[in-house]
Amino acid sequence: MSGDLVYPDGAVRTTPLLGIPGSNDSVTLADLLNADHLEHAVLTTFVVDEPWLLSHFNPTTTLTLVANSQADSDARTQRSDDIIRVRPEFPKPNVQIVHSKLLLLFYAHSMRLVVCTGNLVEDDWTIMHNCVYVHDFPMDSTQVFPANEFSLALAYSLLDLSIPVDLVARLNHVDFARATDVHIVTSVPTGGDRQNAYMNEYGMLRLAKVINQLHGLKPTSEGFDPDTRLYCVGSSLGRLDYRWLREFYLCAHGLTPRSMRKYVFDYSTPNNMVDVGIAFHTQAQVEACRYGDQCAQHIMTKRSVFKERDFPRDALVRIEPLHRDTLVHVKAMVARIGVNQDTGWVYIGSHNCTKAAWGTLHGDELPYFNNYEFGVVLSGVRFDQVDGDKGVQAVWKEEPLELPFKIVWKPYFRDDEPYFGTF
């Protein structure tokens, strides 16, 4: 990257859609890569279309790629041409996956961090509406900058993914001083050496720690007074139940389920305290997508999941895309806090609202995780009422925080069902 940093304080940008005029804030993958000045890229993704992806890079650029397609390989690191292919630790390789979507882009004098909600495939950058968090940091190979909470969390997350140590060491030369009001949250599959050593630093327990530092409530003998409305948007819907939803809701208040154990499990009407909307596309929305059946393969749930007795159907709400007859592939959470719900935080990343992503708690609150995930919590968000049908505008660092969906709470209609895939 040449010249001044484009995103020195971090920003959220949406991806463009074919045939729809984009806003001034939408960015393509080519925009983000700035390939003419790029020296090395670290890329993590669930699904990758390598020919399409490689067409975005100059031949001289070296790449480190972590993709779920490499989960079947026995080798931890493979080198071919200018690509270093990394296989993270999979204690249970038949079920555990890489789902994180992260780009680290190294230039001569800067590093760009991009946290994606889409995969490295063409559909996710053209016909499925996604968004990214992008942040540019100055870099000087002759200096070692002080570490902070953000840089340490980033380094640990790269080590979790088995990124070579020499690449992680490059972070020592990056100045993360302006990584303010942004907090990293990751998940790592259970059973590996690093996860066993740091299991309370992942998933919903990591979320609880971050929110506790920002806005933690203090439980009492009477429980606690919930003050957060949580809107969770995703493209995959797994097995859920009210017990898990209650635990997750507590973590979104900065409270661990252990601290609230009696209240969670003995409360006479516990479901009433869970103010969570699980936003997922309906069957009708997917059928009406202007891009046809090609979109359907990127929205995933099973009819058997929805029909389970304990599935929290009352928590399902509709996703309202910004553009008519389009589909949102974003993984995001919008937390609105207080009586007026005019402040809060936003999560953007790879975590769907699933047990596999955020974890489940067993026994003495020992968590189980299935996926590698990566995301960021943006704190200090303000929610302003605006004219028109958009309803509410999120504002972060005094700039509009544009998301691919409207921040509205519309429960499923009587005949609505989530889209059921054909798998």
Side-chain angles (χ1 to χ4, degrees):
M1 185 183 304
S2 61
D4 296 334
L5 304 179
V6 181
Y7 305 104
D9 295 305
V12 175
R13 296 291 184 260
T14 57
T15 58
L17 290 168
L18 283 176
I20 297 177
S23 72
N24 293 332
D25 289 338
S26 64
V27 291
T28 65
L29 180 60
D31 294 333
L32 293 168
L33 295 178
N34 195 11
D36 288 342
H37 301 280
L38 182 61
E39 296 181 351
H40 185 82
V42 177
L43 316 169
T44 78
T45 184
F46 176 51
V47 184
V48 60
D49 178 348
E50 284 201 21
W52 175 83
L53 174 64
L54 295 178
S55 70
H56 289 78
F57 293 93
N58 290 338
T60 56
T61 303
T62 56
L63 308 177
T64 297
L65 178 63
V66 184
N68 194 63
S69 58
Q70 285 142 221
D72 296 331
S73 171
D74 292 331
R76 182 58 58 88
T77 302
Q78 298 177 336
R79 296 175 181 267
S80 61
D81 300 325
D82 293 317
I83 303 177
I84 303 170
R85 303 174 191 275
V86 176
R87 177 188 181 274
E89 191 176 19
F90 290 101
K92 298 180 180 179
N94 292 333
V95 295
Q96 294 171 337
I97 64 171
V98 175
H99 197 253
S100 57
K101 308 169 198 319
L102 172 69
L103 314 180
L104 274 186
L105 309 174
F106 292 93
Y107 305 89
H109 302 293
S110 65
M111 187 202 77
R112 171 169 287 178
L113 167 73
V114 186
V115 181
C116 307
T117 64
N119 293 296
L120 295 176
V121 296
E122 186 172 9
D123 284 357
D124 282 7
W125 296 83
T126 54
I127 64 173
M128 303 295 292
H129 216 180
N130 280 286
C131 67
V132 299
Y133 173 77
V134 54
H135 203 146
D136 294 334
F137 299 98
M139 187 172 68
D140 186 341
S141 60
T142 67
Q143 295 190 53
V144 175
F145 293 95
N148 59 19
E149 187 262 347
F150 183 89
S151 65
L152 288 174
L154 180 58
Y156 291 149
S157 69
L158 296 178
L159 293 172
D160 288 338
L161 287 162
S162 301
I163 299 297
V165 174
D166 60 326
L167 283 176
V168 180
R170 292 193 185 190
L171 300 185
N172 291 324
H173 305 293
V174 179
D175 184 357
F176 290 99
R178 293 178 73 166
T180 58
D181 295 327
V182 54
H183 316 270
I184 292 173
V185 179
T186 65
S187 295
V188 172
T190 295
D193 293 337
R194 289 184 59 79
Q195 201 279 340
N196 288 339
Y198 306 104
M199 63 176 61
N200 291 331
E201 294 295 324
Y202 301 113
M204 67 164 71
L205 296 181
R206 168 63 179 171
L207 178 67
K209 183 176 181 179
V210 168
I211 302 307
N212 183 266
Q213 293 171 348
L214 301 173
H215 173 68
L217 296 178
K218 301 299 182 184
T220 69
S221 59
E222 301 299 323
F224 83 114
D225 186 16
D227 70 348
T228 298
R229 167 162 279 198
L230 197 61
Y231 181 69
C232 305
V233 181
S235 58
S236 180
L237 193 61
R239 286 184 167 84
L240 297 176
D241 54 66
Y242 274 109
R243 172 171 172 161
W244 184 86
L245 212 57
R246 291 195 298 273
E247 293 175 342
F248 187 71
Y249 188 56
L250 286 171
C251 291
H253 283 81
L255 299 169
T256 63
R258 176 184 296 174
S259 66
M260 300 295 295
R261 189 171 299 280
K262 183 177 187 303
Y263 188 57
V264 172
F265 299 120
D266 295 343
Y267 191 64
S268 58
T269 55
N271 294 351
N272 291 348
M273 80 179 213
V274 181
D275 195 1
V276 179
I278 303 170
F280 194 79
H281 281 303
T282 67
Q283 187 84 18
Q285 286 180 304
V286 174
E287 291 173 354
C289 179
R290 67 177 66 196
Y291 302 111
D293 295 341
Q294 191 172 352
C295 293
Q297 63 183 316
H298 304 289
I299 306 296
M300 301 181 183
T301 193
K302 295 181 180 180
R303 185 178 298 273
S304 59
V305 168
F306 179 67
K307 297 298 182 181
E308 289 182 350
R309 180 172 59 87
D310 294 333
F311 187 87
R313 296 176 186 81
D314 293 344
L316 286 174
V317 297
R318 296 170 64 92
I319 297 177
E320 294 292 326
L322 287 185
H323 303 289
R324 183 181 176 87
D325 297 336
T326 64
L327 299 182
V328 170
H329 187 259
V330 163
K331 300 97 175 88
M333 290 191 295
V334 177
R336 301 180 64 185
I337 300 172
V339 175
N340 297 324
Q341 296 190 355
D342 54 0
T343 61
W345 50 268
V346 170
Y347 165 88
I348 293 170
S350 66
H351 291 78
N352 283 294
C353 186
T354 64
K355 296 179 181 181
W358 288 106
T360 53
L361 304 181
H362 299 285
D364 191 27
E365 207 168 292
L366 298 178
Y368 175 84
F369 305 97
N370 198 75
N371 303 354
Y372 285 99
E373 306 277 5
F374 189 100
V376 290
V377 169
L378 308 181
S379 57
V381 175
R382 188 177 78 243
F383 299 99
D384 294 344
Q385 295 292 329
V386 295
D387 295 333
D389 64 354
K390 194 171 184 179
V392 174
Q393 171 69 64
V395 177
W396 185 63
K397 294 187 176 181
E398 300 306 317
E399 295 290 337
L401 197 163
E402 184 173 345
L403 298 166
F405 53 85
K406 302 172 186 176
I407 305 176
V408 294
W409 192 284
K410 291 185 178 180
Y412 269 30
F413 302 145
R414 178 174 298 180
D415 297 331
D416 278 344
E417 285 190 336
Y419 173 73
F420 303 121
T422 57
F423 53 94

